[in-house]
Amino acid sequence: MNSLRRVVRVPGLWLGLCALQLGLAWSLAQPVGAAVRTAMNGRVWTHPDRLIAALAELLGQSPAIVAVFVAATVASGLLGAALALLVRGGVLLRLHDASAVGTRAWAEFGRASLGNLPVLALIGLYGVVLRLILTFVANALSGSHALVELVVLIVLLTFATCAGDLAAARRVLHGERGVHPREYLRACVDVARNPRLWLASGALSLTRWAVAGAIIVVAVHGVGEAWSSWAARGLACVAMFLALWRVAVAVEASQRRA
């Protein structure tokens, strides 16, 4: 449970990332809300239990809203990935050493984030290639069985996530160059040799995916209700905590190897 303690020791990191995530979501929701209000032309929908039906009708009548929805979705994915990459080095450093405080902590966070950004981006690219390969492998192993393919794919994708976290931790915390694909492959081999590491990281990944699914269910089931938005925000913060915990597992594993 040392990895969990690493996350608990830096509550400011968790809360700061939650605020950043929620702020991004709020910002991207504003153009969508403005487009809907424009399409409604000042009218008010008086059936809160039928908001999804109303939205579907608006989307069918106004292509502009569809364009805004698509743009907001794409921007959300791209900006979310960019921000995650930007702060990854600093997150790894803070989970490794929480002793810095105040201005020093921010300075170290910034140096770790910006100084490791190009190499972490390259490690992320290796991860994308590995995921594509593993997707083909999962399809080949499962044949035409959709359920088997899904299970195999989940297992392999959690492997890729764990290997990427470990490679990034070794780069930031122990000075590995991280540029040559061989170093990434070494992280993959070490994860394959350590089922407990793979299981711990994979369990946290699966739990986080389950929380993401719960956010969608809450948003749809409680549409139009005040509690729905707050419940979704709370679950998003839980998902962020799980993501930090998963990264802390890789930090702990890199320490044992060092």
Side-chain angles (χ1 to χ4, degrees):
M1 298 297 286
N2 288 334
S3 56
L4 177 58
R5 283 195 290 269
R6 289 180 182 274
V7 182
V8 174
R9 284 188 308 175
V10 285
L13 175 65
W14 172 50
L15 295 175
L17 292 176
C18 287
L20 186 62
Q21 175 182 253
L22 295 176
L24 175 63
W26 180 85
S27 299
L28 293 174
Q30 300 313 301
V32 176
V36 170
R37 287 192 294 271
T38 300
M40 292 287 291
N41 196 24
R43 297 188 298 273
V44 177
W45 183 257
T46 57
H47 304 286
D49 58 327
R50 296 175 57 198
L51 287 178
I52 294 180
L55 180 60
E57 184 177 344
L58 278 176
L59 292 175
Q61 294 178 354
S62 177
I65 296 182
V66 177
V68 173
F69 263 98
V70 172
T73 302
V74 172
S76 176
L78 293 177
L79 288 176
L83 286 174
L85 177 61
L86 179 62
V87 303
R88 192 175 193 185
V91 167
L92 285 163
L93 183 63
R94 290 294 290 162
L95 291 174
H96 168 65
D97 181 11
S99 60
V101 294
T103 304
R104 176 169 164 255
W106 282 108
E108 291 183 354
F109 187 94
R111 282 195 296 269
S113 296
L114 297 177
N116 293 286
L117 182 59
V119 178
L120 292 182
L122 185 59
I123 290 174
L125 181 60
Y126 291 153
V128 171
V129 174
L130 178 62
R131 285 171 173 83
L132 290 175
I133 294 173
L134 293 179
T135 299
F136 285 114
V137 170
N139 182 263
L141 291 176
S142 61
S144 59
H145 300 282
L147 181 59
V148 174
E149 180 177 358
L150 177 62
V151 173
V152 173
L153 184 61
I154 288 174
V155 171
L156 294 179
L157 290 183
T158 57
F159 171 84
T161 299
C162 185
D165 288 342
L166 184 59
R170 289 175 176 175
R171 159 63 188 180
V172 174
L173 305 179
H174 306 296
E176 291 194 3
R177 293 180 65 244
V179 175
H180 199 284
R182 180 174 58 247
E183 296 175 350
Y184 185 86
L185 291 176
R186 185 165 61 247
C188 293
V189 171
D190 289 342
V191 171
R193 289 176 174 175
N194 191 345
R196 292 180 63 184
L197 169 62
W198 185 359
L199 179 61
S201 176
L204 290 168
S205 291
L206 289 175
T207 306
R208 185 167 177 255
W209 295 345
V211 172
I215 292 174
I216 297 175
V217 172
V218 166
V220 173
H221 180 71
V223 65
E225 301 290 340
W227 64 266
S228 175
S229 59
W230 287 107
R233 294 184 183 106
L235 288 171
C237 291
V238 172
M240 180 60 70
F241 186 90
L242 292 170
L244 289 175
W245 190 356
R246 190 202 72 217
V247 174
V249 167
V251 171
E252 189 70 24
S254 72
Q255 288 295 102
R256 289 196 294 268
R257 181 179 183 273

